[in-house]
Amino acid sequence: MSTSGSTRGVVYVHSSPSAVCPHVEWAISGTLGVRAELKWTAQPAAAGQLRSECSWTGAAGTGAKLVQALRAWPMIRFEVTEEPSAGVDGERFCFAPGLGLWRARTSANGDIVVGEDQLRAVAAASRGGESFVHKVNEMLGSSWDEALEPFRRAGDGAPVTWLHRVG
């Protein structure tokens, strides 16, 4: 992936134990090169857990770097988005305990982009309609959406922190 050009995105930490929150901030800070002081609020969908989100700006590919840093804590639920930039597709990453990481390219309006080679591979490997539907749902991240949706709704209206990558 190209690292030229500037883009922006959002890190949504849907749930984190309070003891891990400073580590999440350090991971984001180290990736962006700017101190992240997130505003943490209770996560109503998971008693004892906290949630936060921050918008970021940086070079294309920063979203993947943020995900790499956050994966060090497999007990947190998070999403990272990166908007498309000149010559680079956008991306969406979702992580949920028990499911692991899901990644997809996104279009300018935020839709998941599925390539023709991906569709050909699914069609060739599917043994019928139900199998095809299951594989398409995997490509679209349906299991991650189901796992994260209660945490997304519980965060509606929460404060957002703005961060800008240095350099």
Side-chain angles (χ1 to χ4, degrees), residues 87-140:
V88 181
D89 291 330
E91 290 191 286
R92 180 172 157 220
F93 304 84
C94 298
F95 185 89
L99 290 175
L101 181 67
W102 172 80
R103 177 183 191 172
R105 294 180 304 138
T106 57
S107 65
N109 70 351
D111 284 347
I112 302 303
V113 176
V114 178
E116 63 185 86
D117 288 338
Q118 289 175 286
L119 286 174
R120 283 190 181 104
V122 166
S126 297
R127 301 199 187 280
E130 213 172 291
S131 174
F132 181 79
V133 169
H134 176 75
K135 291 181 184 303
V136 168
N137 282 333
E138 282 180 355
M139 286 190 300
L140 297 177

mmCIF file of all heavy atoms in Angstrom, residues 87-140:
data_model
loop_
_atom_site.group_PDB
_atom_site.id
_atom_site.type_symbol
_atom_site.label_atom_id
_atom_site.label_comp_id
_atom_site.label_asym_id
_atom_site.label_seq_id
_atom_site.Cartn_x
_atom_site.Cartn_y
_atom_site.Cartn_z
ATOM 1 N N GLY A 87 -5.414 7.665 -5.355
ATOM 2 C CA GLY A 87 -4.804 6.419 -5.793
ATOM 3 C C GLY A 87 -4.845 5.276 -4.801
ATOM 4 O O GLY A 87 -4.266 4.225 -5.049
ATOM 5 N N VAL A 88 -5.515 5.449 -3.664
ATOM 6 C CA VAL A 88 -5.538 4.424 -2.623
ATOM 7 C C VAL A 88 -6.986 4.216 -2.163
ATOM 8 O O VAL A 88 -7.674 5.173 -1.826
ATOM 9 C CB VAL A 88 -4.672 4.845 -1.407
ATOM 10 C CG1 VAL A 88 -4.685 3.771 -0.331
ATOM 11 C CG2 VAL A 88 -3.248 5.153 -1.841
ATOM 12 N N ASP A 89 -7.423 2.966 -2.158
ATOM 13 C CA ASP A 89 -8.761 2.658 -1.650
ATOM 14 C C ASP A 89 -8.833 2.930 -0.160
ATOM 15 O O ASP A 89 -7.816 2.903 0.540
ATOM 16 C CB ASP A 89 -9.088 1.173 -1.872
ATOM 17 C CG ASP A 89 -9.283 0.817 -3.326
ATOM 18 O OD1 ASP A 89 -9.733 1.682 -4.098
ATOM 19 O OD2 ASP A 89 -8.987 -0.337 -3.688
ATOM 20 N N GLY A 90 -10.040 3.152 0.319
ATOM 21 C CA GLY A 90 -10.261 3.226 1.753
ATOM 22 C C GLY A 90 -10.237 1.823 2.334
ATOM 23 O O GLY A 90 -10.237 0.827 1.600
ATOM 24 N N GLU A 91 -10.205 1.742 3.660
ATOM 25 C CA GLU A 91 -10.214 0.443 4.317
ATOM 26 C C GLU A 91 -11.036 0.504 5.590
ATOM 27 O O GLU A 91 -11.182 1.552 6.209
ATOM 28 C CB GLU A 91 -8.792 -0.009 4.681
ATOM 29 C CG GLU A 91 -7.948 -0.362 3.472
ATOM 30 C CD GLU A 91 -6.668 -1.035 3.868
ATOM 31 O OE1 GLU A 91 -5.773 -0.337 4.371
ATOM 32 O OE2 GLU A 91 -6.575 -2.266 3.679
ATOM 33 N N ARG A 92 -11.551 -0.653 5.947
ATOM 34 C CA ARG A 92 -12.251 -0.808 7.216
ATOM 35 C C ARG A 92 -11.745 -2.082 7.863
ATOM 36 O O ARG A 92 -11.629 -3.127 7.209
ATOM 37 C CB ARG A 92 -13.754 -0.901 6.982
ATOM 38 C CG ARG A 92 -14.545 -1.055 8.252
ATOM 39 C CD ARG A 92 -16.037 -0.955 7.965
ATOM 40 N NE ARG A 92 -16.768 -1.617 9.015
ATOM 41 C CZ ARG A 92 -17.832 -2.372 8.822
ATOM 42 N NH1 ARG A 92 -18.307 -2.562 7.618
ATOM 43 N NH2 ARG A 92 -18.426 -2.927 9.842
ATOM 44 N N PHE A 93 -11.413 -1.991 9.135
ATOM 45 C CA PHE A 93 -10.911 -3.111 9.916
ATOM 46 C C PHE A 93 -11.826 -3.280 11.124
ATOM 47 O O PHE A 93 -12.196 -2.295 11.762
ATOM 48 C CB PHE A 93 -9.504 -2.821 10.451
ATOM 49 C CG PHE A 93 -8.487 -2.466 9.403
ATOM 50 C CD1 PHE A 93 -8.373 -1.166 8.930
ATOM 51 C CD2 PHE A 93 -7.614 -3.431 8.919
ATOM 52 C CE1 PHE A 93 -7.417 -0.830 7.992
ATOM 53 C CE2 PHE A 93 -6.651 -3.101 7.967
ATOM 54 C CZ PHE A 93 -6.559 -1.798 7.503
ATOM 55 N N CYS A 94 -12.161 -4.508 11.454
ATOM 56 C CA CYS A 94 -12.945 -4.804 12.651
ATOM 57 C C CYS A 94 -12.246 -5.912 13.417
ATOM 58 O O CYS A 94 -11.776 -6.882 12.816
ATOM 59 C CB CYS A 94 -14.353 -5.281 12.284
ATOM 60 S SG CYS A 94 -15.356 -4.094 11.408
ATOM 61 N N PHE A 95 -12.204 -5.762 14.726
ATOM 62 C CA PHE A 95 -11.620 -6.800 15.568
ATOM 63 C C PHE A 95 -12.578 -7.100 16.705
ATOM 64 O O PHE A 95 -13.051 -6.187 17.397
ATOM 65 C CB PHE A 95 -10.273 -6.378 16.141
ATOM 66 C CG PHE A 95 -9.615 -7.491 16.914
ATOM 67 C CD1 PHE A 95 -8.793 -8.403 16.277
ATOM 68 C CD2 PHE A 95 -9.857 -7.647 18.264
ATOM 69 C CE1 PHE A 95 -8.213 -9.457 16.973
ATOM 70 C CE2 PHE A 95 -9.284 -8.697 18.977
ATOM 71 C CZ PHE A 95 -8.459 -9.601 18.329
ATOM 72 N N ALA A 96 -12.870 -8.382 16.899
ATOM 73 C CA ALA A 96 -13.708 -8.822 18.013
ATOM 74 C C ALA A 96 -13.081 -10.078 18.605
ATOM 75 O O ALA A 96 -12.664 -10.968 17.854
ATOM 76 C CB ALA A 96 -15.132 -9.113 17.535
ATOM 77 N N PRO A 97 -13.008 -10.152 19.938
ATOM 78 C CA PRO A 97 -12.489 -11.371 20.568
ATOM 79 C C PRO A 97 -13.284 -12.585 20.083
ATOM 80 O O PRO A 97 -14.495 -12.533 19.932
ATOM 81 C CB PRO A 97 -12.719 -11.119 22.061
ATOM 82 C CG PRO A 97 -12.746 -9.623 22.188
ATOM 83 C CD PRO A 97 -13.395 -9.137 20.919
ATOM 84 N N GLY A 98 -12.587 -13.656 19.805
ATOM 85 C CA GLY A 98 -13.233 -14.867 19.324
ATOM 86 C C GLY A 98 -13.377 -14.914 17.811
ATOM 87 O O GLY A 98 -13.470 -15.986 17.231
ATOM 88 N N LEU A 99 -13.408 -13.761 17.174
ATOM 89 C CA LEU A 99 -13.499 -13.698 15.709
ATOM 90 C C LEU A 99 -12.172 -13.304 15.077
ATOM 91 O O LEU A 99 -11.883 -13.673 13.954
ATOM 92 C CB LEU A 99 -14.566 -12.689 15.267
ATOM 93 C CG LEU A 99 -16.013 -13.053 15.519
ATOM 94 C CD1 LEU A 99 -16.919 -11.891 15.125
ATOM 95 C CD2 LEU A 99 -16.401 -14.306 14.757
ATOM 96 N N GLY A 100 -11.408 -12.493 15.785
ATOM 97 C CA GLY A 100 -10.156 -11.998 15.232
ATOM 98 C C GLY A 100 -10.376 -10.780 14.354
ATOM 99 O O GLY A 100 -11.321 -10.018 14.550
ATOM 100 N N LEU A 101 -9.518 -10.631 13.360
ATOM 101 C CA LEU A 101 -9.507 -9.434 12.520
ATOM 102 C C LEU A 101 -10.192 -9.686 11.183
ATOM 103 O O LEU A 101 -9.997 -10.729 10.559
ATOM 104 C CB LEU A 101 -8.062 -8.986 12.269
ATOM 105 C CG LEU A 101 -7.885 -7.730 11.427
ATOM 106 C CD1 LEU A 101 -8.419 -6.502 12.149
ATOM 107 C CD2 LEU A 101 -6.412 -7.538 11.074
ATOM 108 N N TRP A 102 -10.968 -8.698 10.758
ATOM 109 C CA TRP A 102 -11.570 -8.678 9.419
ATOM 110 C C TRP A 102 -11.147 -7.373 8.764
ATOM 111 O O TRP A 102 -11.069 -6.331 9.424
ATOM 112 C CB TRP A 102 -13.094 -8.758 9.526
ATOM 113 C CG TRP A 102 -13.800 -8.545 8.231
ATOM 114 C CD1 TRP A 102 -13.990 -9.451 7.238
ATOM 115 C CD2 TRP A 102 -14.406 -7.329 7.789
ATOM 116 N NE1 TRP A 102 -14.675 -8.874 6.199
ATOM 117 C CE2 TRP A 102 -14.946 -7.566 6.512
ATOM 118 C CE3 TRP A 102 -14.539 -6.052 8.344
ATOM 119 C CZ2 TRP A 102 -15.617 -6.593 5.783
ATOM 120 C CZ3 TRP A 102 -15.200 -5.085 7.622
ATOM 121 C CH2 TRP A 102 -15.725 -5.362 6.358
ATOM 122 N N ARG A 103 -10.845 -7.439 7.455
ATOM 123 C CA ARG A 103 -10.356 -6.265 6.728
ATOM 124 C C ARG A 103 -11.010 -6.227 5.356
ATOM 125 O O ARG A 103 -11.137 -7.263 4.697
ATOM 126 C CB ARG A 103 -8.846 -6.381 6.567
ATOM 127 C CG ARG A 103 -8.200 -5.278 5.774
ATOM 128 C CD ARG A 103 -6.711 -5.558 5.640
ATOM 129 N NE ARG A 103 -6.008 -4.397 5.116
ATOM 130 C CZ ARG A 103 -4.702 -4.293 5.043
ATOM 131 N NH1 ARG A 103 -3.936 -5.291 5.461
ATOM 132 N NH2 ARG A 103 -4.137 -3.205 4.563
ATOM 133 N N ALA A 104 -11.390 -5.023 4.922
ATOM 134 C CA ALA A 104 -11.963 -4.884 3.586
ATOM 135 C C ALA A 104 -11.634 -3.513 3.014
ATOM 136 O O ALA A 104 -11.415 -2.547 3.752
ATOM 137 C CB ALA A 104 -13.476 -5.063 3.628
ATOM 138 N N ARG A 105 -11.610 -3.468 1.689
ATOM 139 C CA ARG A 105 -11.479 -2.183 0.999
ATOM 140 C C ARG A 105 -12.842 -1.505 1.000
ATOM 141 O O ARG A 105 -13.873 -2.166 0.998
ATOM 142 C CB ARG A 105 -11.021 -2.392 -0.444
ATOM 143 C CG ARG A 105 -9.621 -2.944 -0.552
ATOM 144 C CD ARG A 105 -9.175 -3.147 -1.989
ATOM 145 N NE ARG A 105 -10.105 -4.015 -2.703
ATOM 146 C CZ ARG A 105 -10.526 -3.806 -3.944
ATOM 147 N NH1 ARG A 105 -10.098 -2.780 -4.647
ATOM 148 N NH2 ARG A 105 -11.361 -4.644 -4.522
ATOM 149 N N THR A 106 -12.836 -0.176 0.991
ATOM 150 C CA THR A 106 -14.090 0.576 0.953
ATOM 151 C C THR A 106 -14.061 1.604 -0.166
ATOM 152 O O THR A 106 -13.004 2.094 -0.559
ATOM 153 C CB THR A 106 -14.364 1.296 2.292
ATOM 154 O OG1 THR A 106 -13.265 2.162 2.601
ATOM 155 C CG2 THR A 106 -14.558 0.299 3.428
ATOM 156 N N SER A 107 -15.256 1.911 -0.659
ATOM 157 C CA SER A 107 -15.403 2.919 -1.709
ATOM 158 C C SER A 107 -15.529 4.301 -1.072
ATOM 159 O O SER A 107 -15.564 4.434 0.156
ATOM 160 C CB SER A 107 -16.643 2.611 -2.546
ATOM 161 O OG SER A 107 -17.812 2.732 -1.745
ATOM 162 N N ALA A 108 -15.640 5.297 -1.911
ATOM 163 C CA ALA A 108 -15.747 6.681 -1.427
ATOM 164 C C ALA A 108 -16.957 6.885 -0.521
ATOM 165 O O ALA A 108 -16.920 7.713 0.389
ATOM 166 C CB ALA A 108 -15.795 7.646 -2.607
ATOM 167 N N ASN A 109 -18.035 6.135 -0.735
ATOM 168 C CA ASN A 109 -19.222 6.299 0.118
ATOM 169 C C ASN A 109 -19.227 5.347 1.307
ATOM 170 O O ASN A 109 -20.183 5.307 2.071
ATOM 171 C CB ASN A 109 -20.503 6.147 -0.704
ATOM 172 C CG ASN A 109 -20.735 4.734 -1.176
ATOM 173 O OD1 ASN A 109 -19.868 3.874 -1.046
ATOM 174 N ND2 ASN A 109 -21.896 4.485 -1.735
ATOM 175 N N GLY A 110 -18.162 4.555 1.471
ATOM 176 C CA GLY A 110 -18.042 3.673 2.625
ATOM 177 C C GLY A 110 -18.498 2.246 2.399
ATOM 178 O O GLY A 110 -18.398 1.412 3.292
ATOM 179 N N ASP A 111 -19.008 1.937 1.205
ATOM 180 C CA ASP A 111 -19.418 0.565 0.916
ATOM 181 C C ASP A 111 -18.206 -0.358 0.845
ATOM 182 O O ASP A 111 -17.130 0.053 0.419
ATOM 183 C CB ASP A 111 -20.154 0.482 -0.421
ATOM 184 C CG ASP A 111 -21.581 1.007 -0.366
ATOM 185 O OD1 ASP A 111 -22.096 1.207 0.749
ATOM 186 O OD2 ASP A 111 -22.173 1.212 -1.449
ATOM 187 N N ILE A 112 -18.409 -1.618 1.222
ATOM 188 C CA ILE A 112 -17.368 -2.629 1.091
ATOM 189 C C ILE A 112 -17.183 -2.936 -0.397
ATOM 190 O O ILE A 112 -18.153 -3.111 -1.129
ATOM 191 C CB ILE A 112 -17.755 -3.922 1.839
ATOM 192 C CG1 ILE A 112 -18.008 -3.632 3.326
ATOM 193 C CG2 ILE A 112 -16.702 -5.007 1.651
ATOM 194 C CD1 ILE A 112 -16.866 -2.998 4.053
ATOM 195 N N VAL A 113 -15.939 -2.990 -0.842
ATOM 196 C CA VAL A 113 -15.622 -3.295 -2.236
ATOM 197 C C VAL A 113 -15.159 -4.743 -2.318
ATOM 198 O O VAL A 113 -14.217 -5.134 -1.627
ATOM 199 C CB VAL A 113 -14.511 -2.356 -2.765
ATOM 200 C CG1 VAL A 113 -14.108 -2.748 -4.176
ATOM 201 C CG2 VAL A 113 -14.963 -0.900 -2.711
ATOM 202 N N VAL A 114 -15.842 -5.515 -3.143
ATOM 203 C CA VAL A 114 -15.473 -6.913 -3.366
ATOM 204 C C VAL A 114 -14.988 -7.023 -4.800
ATOM 205 O O VAL A 114 -15.722 -6.702 -5.737
ATOM 206 C CB VAL A 114 -16.665 -7.859 -3.108
ATOM 207 C CG1 VAL A 114 -16.283 -9.296 -3.401
ATOM 208 C CG2 VAL A 114 -17.154 -7.711 -1.675
ATOM 209 N N GLY A 115 -13.772 -7.477 -4.984
ATOM 210 C CA GLY A 115 -13.176 -7.568 -6.310
ATOM 211 C C GLY A 115 -13.696 -8.747 -7.115
ATOM 212 O O GLY A 115 -14.184 -9.731 -6.564
ATOM 213 N N GLU A 116 -13.575 -8.634 -8.425
ATOM 214 C CA GLU A 116 -14.066 -9.698 -9.306
ATOM 215 C C GLU A 116 -13.342 -11.019 -9.065
ATOM 216 O O GLU A 116 -13.967 -12.080 -9.137
ATOM 217 C CB GLU A 116 -13.985 -9.273 -10.767
ATOM 218 C CG GLU A 116 -12.578 -9.002 -11.265
ATOM 219 C CD GLU A 116 -12.568 -8.460 -12.687
ATOM 220 O OE1 GLU A 116 -12.698 -7.233 -12.846
ATOM 221 O OE2 GLU A 116 -12.422 -9.280 -13.611
ATOM 222 N N ASP A 117 -12.044 -10.978 -8.766
ATOM 223 C CA ASP A 117 -11.327 -12.222 -8.480
ATOM 224 C C ASP A 117 -11.848 -12.876 -7.203
ATOM 225 O O ASP A 117 -11.916 -14.110 -7.119
ATOM 226 C CB ASP A 117 -9.823 -11.980 -8.380
ATOM 227 C CG ASP A 117 -9.194 -11.698 -9.740
ATOM 228 O OD1 ASP A 117 -9.795 -12.084 -10.771
ATOM 229 O OD2 ASP A 117 -8.104 -11.104 -9.775
ATOM 230 N N GLN A 118 -12.191 -12.062 -6.210
ATOM 231 C CA GLN A 118 -12.771 -12.612 -4.983
ATOM 232 C C GLN A 118 -14.095 -13.312 -5.303
ATOM 233 O O GLN A 118 -14.354 -14.407 -4.808
ATOM 234 C CB GLN A 118 -13.017 -11.502 -3.958
ATOM 235 C CG GLN A 118 -11.774 -10.921 -3.329
ATOM 236 C CD GLN A 118 -12.132 -9.763 -2.421
ATOM 237 O OE1 GLN A 118 -12.467 -8.680 -2.887
ATOM 238 N NE2 GLN A 118 -12.056 -10.004 -1.124
ATOM 239 N N LEU A 119 -14.930 -12.656 -6.093
ATOM 240 C CA LEU A 119 -16.222 -13.252 -6.443
ATOM 241 C C LEU A 119 -16.051 -14.529 -7.254
ATOM 242 O O LEU A 119 -16.768 -15.513 -7.042
ATOM 243 C CB LEU A 119 -17.083 -12.252 -7.211
ATOM 244 C CG LEU A 119 -17.679 -11.128 -6.383
ATOM 245 C CD1 LEU A 119 -18.393 -10.122 -7.271
ATOM 246 C CD2 LEU A 119 -18.629 -11.674 -5.326
ATOM 247 N N ARG A 120 -15.104 -14.526 -8.174
ATOM 248 C CA ARG A 120 -14.849 -15.738 -8.968
ATOM 249 C C ARG A 120 -14.410 -16.896 -8.071
ATOM 250 O O ARG A 120 -14.840 -18.040 -8.245
ATOM 251 C CB ARG A 120 -13.791 -15.464 -10.032
ATOM 252 C CG ARG A 120 -14.325 -14.706 -11.217
ATOM 253 C CD ARG A 120 -13.296 -14.680 -12.358
ATOM 254 N NE ARG A 120 -13.855 -13.929 -13.460
ATOM 255 C CZ ARG A 120 -13.510 -12.672 -13.773
ATOM 256 N NH1 ARG A 120 -12.571 -12.053 -13.094
ATOM 257 N NH2 ARG A 120 -14.083 -12.050 -14.777
ATOM 258 N N ALA A 121 -13.537 -16.607 -7.119
ATOM 259 C CA ALA A 121 -13.063 -17.644 -6.200
ATOM 260 C C ALA A 121 -14.205 -18.188 -5.348
ATOM 261 O O ALA A 121 -14.308 -19.405 -5.140
ATOM 262 C CB ALA A 121 -11.945 -17.094 -5.313
ATOM 263 N N VAL A 122 -15.068 -17.315 -4.877
ATOM 264 C CA VAL A 122 -16.213 -17.748 -4.071
ATOM 265 C C VAL A 122 -17.159 -18.596 -4.915
ATOM 266 O O VAL A 122 -17.632 -19.646 -4.483
ATOM 267 C CB VAL A 122 -16.944 -16.526 -3.465
ATOM 268 C CG1 VAL A 122 -18.311 -16.909 -2.930
ATOM 269 C CG2 VAL A 122 -16.108 -15.909 -2.368
ATOM 270 N N ALA A 123 -17.433 -18.134 -6.131
ATOM 271 C CA ALA A 123 -18.329 -18.892 -7.014
ATOM 272 C C ALA A 123 -17.750 -20.270 -7.312
ATOM 273 O O ALA A 123 -18.475 -21.276 -7.311
ATOM 274 C CB ALA A 123 -18.569 -18.115 -8.305
ATOM 275 N N ALA A 124 -16.449 -20.355 -7.543
ATOM 276 C CA ALA A 124 -15.813 -21.632 -7.859
ATOM 277 C C ALA A 124 -15.802 -22.576 -6.659
ATOM 278 O O ALA A 124 -15.924 -23.791 -6.816
ATOM 279 C CB ALA A 124 -14.390 -21.401 -8.355
ATOM 280 N N ALA A 125 -15.655 -22.019 -5.453
ATOM 281 C CA ALA A 125 -15.556 -22.850 -4.252
ATOM 282 C C ALA A 125 -16.915 -23.204 -3.653
ATOM 283 O O ALA A 125 -17.006 -24.116 -2.840
ATOM 284 C CB ALA A 125 -14.708 -22.130 -3.196
ATOM 285 N N SER A 126 -17.959 -22.498 -4.053
ATOM 286 C CA SER A 126 -19.287 -22.731 -3.472
ATOM 287 C C SER A 126 -19.953 -23.940 -4.098
ATOM 288 O O SER A 126 -19.845 -24.182 -5.290
ATOM 289 C CB SER A 126 -20.170 -21.500 -3.686
ATOM 290 O OG SER A 126 -19.634 -20.399 -3.010
ATOM 291 N N ARG A 127 -20.648 -24.693 -3.270
ATOM 292 C CA ARG A 127 -21.321 -25.902 -3.731
ATOM 293 C C ARG A 127 -22.836 -25.706 -3.777
ATOM 294 O O ARG A 127 -23.585 -26.660 -3.745
ATOM 295 C CB ARG A 127 -20.979 -27.067 -2.827
ATOM 296 C CG ARG A 127 -19.493 -27.349 -2.769
ATOM 297 C CD ARG A 127 -19.244 -28.744 -2.268
ATOM 298 N NE ARG A 127 -17.856 -29.017 -2.046
ATOM 299 C CZ ARG A 127 -16.989 -29.340 -2.992
ATOM 300 N NH1 ARG A 127 -17.353 -29.388 -4.229
ATOM 301 N NH2 ARG A 127 -15.736 -29.600 -2.678
ATOM 302 N N GLY A 128 -23.255 -24.478 -3.822
ATOM 303 C CA GLY A 128 -24.692 -24.203 -3.881
ATOM 304 C C GLY A 128 -24.985 -22.824 -3.338
ATOM 305 O O GLY A 128 -24.093 -22.108 -2.875
ATOM 306 N N GLY A 129 -26.239 -22.456 -3.405
ATOM 307 C CA GLY A 129 -26.668 -21.120 -3.006
ATOM 308 C C GLY A 129 -26.332 -20.764 -1.576
ATOM 309 O O GLY A 129 -25.853 -19.675 -1.289
ATOM 310 N N GLU A 130 -26.582 -21.693 -0.657
ATOM 311 C CA GLU A 130 -26.327 -21.409 0.758
ATOM 312 C C GLU A 130 -24.839 -21.196 1.026
ATOM 313 O O GLU A 130 -24.456 -20.306 1.779
ATOM 314 C CB GLU A 130 -26.865 -22.563 1.608
ATOM 315 C CG GLU A 130 -27.373 -22.122 2.950
ATOM 316 C CD GLU A 130 -28.077 -23.266 3.666
ATOM 317 O OE1 GLU A 130 -29.155 -23.679 3.223
ATOM 318 O OE2 GLU A 130 -27.503 -23.713 4.678
ATOM 319 N N SER A 131 -24.015 -22.002 0.403
ATOM 320 C CA SER A 131 -22.567 -21.877 0.549
ATOM 321 C C SER A 131 -22.094 -20.539 -0.012
ATOM 322 O O SER A 131 -21.256 -19.859 0.600
ATOM 323 C CB SER A 131 -21.869 -23.031 -0.170
ATOM 324 O OG SER A 131 -20.475 -22.855 -0.156
ATOM 325 N N PHE A 132 -22.635 -20.148 -1.150
ATOM 326 C CA PHE A 132 -22.269 -18.869 -1.770
ATOM 327 C C PHE A 132 -22.650 -17.708 -0.858
ATOM 328 O O PHE A 132 -21.843 -16.806 -0.617
ATOM 329 C CB PHE A 132 -22.959 -18.735 -3.140
ATOM 330 C CG PHE A 132 -22.610 -17.468 -3.860
ATOM 331 C CD1 PHE A 132 -21.409 -17.352 -4.540
ATOM 332 C CD2 PHE A 132 -23.481 -16.381 -3.855
ATOM 333 C CE1 PHE A 132 -21.072 -16.172 -5.212
ATOM 334 C CE2 PHE A 132 -23.155 -15.207 -4.514
ATOM 335 C CZ PHE A 132 -21.951 -15.107 -5.196
ATOM 336 N N VAL A 133 -23.853 -17.744 -0.329
ATOM 337 C CA VAL A 133 -24.319 -16.676 0.569
ATOM 338 C C VAL A 133 -23.412 -16.589 1.796
ATOM 339 O O VAL A 133 -23.019 -15.498 2.222
ATOM 340 C CB VAL A 133 -25.791 -16.904 0.983
ATOM 341 C CG1 VAL A 133 -26.203 -15.974 2.122
ATOM 342 C CG2 VAL A 133 -26.714 -16.714 -0.219
ATOM 343 N N HIS A 134 -23.054 -17.724 2.369
ATOM 344 C CA HIS A 134 -22.174 -17.741 3.547
ATOM 345 C C HIS A 134 -20.828 -17.094 3.234
ATOM 346 O O HIS A 134 -20.324 -16.264 4.000
ATOM 347 C CB HIS A 134 -21.976 -19.174 4.041
ATOM 348 C CG HIS A 134 -21.015 -19.284 5.172
ATOM 349 N ND1 HIS A 134 -21.336 -18.900 6.457
ATOM 350 C CD2 HIS A 134 -19.721 -19.705 5.203
ATOM 351 C CE1 HIS A 134 -20.276 -19.082 7.237
ATOM 352 N NE2 HIS A 134 -19.285 -19.574 6.505
ATOM 353 N N LYS A 135 -20.250 -17.446 2.102
ATOM 354 C CA LYS A 135 -18.936 -16.899 1.731
ATOM 355 C C LYS A 135 -19.014 -15.400 1.429
ATOM 356 O O LYS A 135 -18.107 -14.642 1.781
ATOM 357 C CB LYS A 135 -18.350 -17.678 0.564
ATOM 358 C CG LYS A 135 -17.943 -19.098 0.948
ATOM 359 C CD LYS A 135 -17.354 -19.848 -0.216
ATOM 360 C CE LYS A 135 -17.043 -21.284 0.105
ATOM 361 N NZ LYS A 135 -16.162 -21.513 1.217
ATOM 362 N N VAL A 136 -20.087 -14.956 0.811
ATOM 363 C CA VAL A 136 -20.267 -13.515 0.560
ATOM 364 C C VAL A 136 -20.416 -12.781 1.891
ATOM 365 O O VAL A 136 -19.821 -11.713 2.094
ATOM 366 C CB VAL A 136 -21.458 -13.246 -0.380
ATOM 367 C CG1 VAL A 136 -21.812 -11.762 -0.404
ATOM 368 C CG2 VAL A 136 -21.154 -13.744 -1.787
ATOM 369 N N ASN A 137 -21.181 -13.354 2.815
ATOM 370 C CA ASN A 137 -21.322 -12.734 4.135
ATOM 371 C C ASN A 137 -19.977 -12.627 4.849
ATOM 372 O O ASN A 137 -19.716 -11.648 5.548
ATOM 373 C CB ASN A 137 -22.340 -13.487 4.989
ATOM 374 C CG ASN A 137 -23.754 -13.153 4.614
ATOM 375 O OD1 ASN A 137 -24.041 -12.068 4.114
ATOM 376 N ND2 ASN A 137 -24.665 -14.075 4.852
ATOM 377 N N GLU A 138 -19.110 -13.636 4.679
ATOM 378 C CA GLU A 138 -17.768 -13.561 5.260
ATOM 379 C C GLU A 138 -16.986 -12.389 4.665
ATOM 380 O O GLU A 138 -16.318 -11.658 5.384
ATOM 381 C CB GLU A 138 -16.998 -14.855 5.003
ATOM 382 C CG GLU A 138 -17.379 -15.992 5.902
ATOM 383 C CD GLU A 138 -16.572 -17.251 5.609
ATOM 384 O OE1 GLU A 138 -15.773 -17.267 4.646
ATOM 385 O OE2 GLU A 138 -16.742 -18.227 6.356
ATOM 386 N N MET A 139 -17.060 -12.231 3.339
ATOM 387 C CA MET A 139 -16.343 -11.128 2.684
ATOM 388 C C MET A 139 -16.866 -9.766 3.153
ATOM 389 O O MET A 139 -16.108 -8.807 3.226
ATOM 390 C CB MET A 139 -16.471 -11.223 1.161
ATOM 391 C CG MET A 139 -15.638 -12.317 0.554
ATOM 392 S SD MET A 139 -15.576 -12.246 -1.253
ATOM 393 C CE MET A 139 -17.277 -12.406 -1.714
ATOM 394 N N LEU A 140 -18.158 -9.696 3.465
ATOM 395 C CA LEU A 140 -18.764 -8.437 3.897
ATOM 396 C C LEU A 140 -18.619 -8.190 5.398
ATOM 397 O O LEU A 140 -19.015 -7.151 5.895
ATOM 398 C CB LEU A 140 -20.244 -8.405 3.501
ATOM 399 C CG LEU A 140 -20.521 -8.438 2.002
ATOM 400 C CD1 LEU A 140 -22.026 -8.484 1.750
ATOM 401 C CD2 LEU A 140 -19.881 -7.253 1.298
#
